[in-house]
Amino acid sequence: MEVKVGVLHTSRELTIESDLAPEAVEALVTQAITTGSPLRLEDTRGNVVLVPAATLAYAEVGSPKRAGVGFGML
């Protein structure tokens, strides 16, 4: 699923493909905001993104990936 994170004082957002469930991402964002600890997200390739909670503007959680559409002969 796609997760977009906005960071204060930057014109671009971070876009991450994650294997986490939407509820899990929401819980991580909520924890970062309430505790002040950095938001830590891991993408599908194992890369880790850390965003300081004080600079977190928003997080947009997309829907889980759906299976691709195939083309067949009629």
Side-chain angles (χ1 to χ4, degrees):
M1 121 181 97
E2 184 176 78
V3 179
K4 294 181 182 178
V5 178
V7 180
L8 294 177
H9 310 297
T10 60
S11 59
R12 297 179 63 183
E13 61 192 10
L14 301 171
T15 304
I16 302 160
E17 276 297 322
S18 176
D19 291 331
L20 294 174
E23 296 81 16
V25 174
E26 184 178 350
L28 289 172
V29 171
T30 302
Q31 178 184 7
I33 292 170
T34 57
T35 64
S37 61
L39 172 62
R40 182 186 188 280
L41 295 172
E42 187 173 334
D43 70 5
T44 55
R45 292 193 228 158
N47 298 319
V48 175
V49 175
L50 293 170
V51 180
T55 63
L56 187 60
Y58 66 89
E60 181 181 319
V61 181
S63 59
K65 277 187 167 183
R66 289 185 240 148
V69 177
F71 295 94
M73 295 178 49
L74 296 175

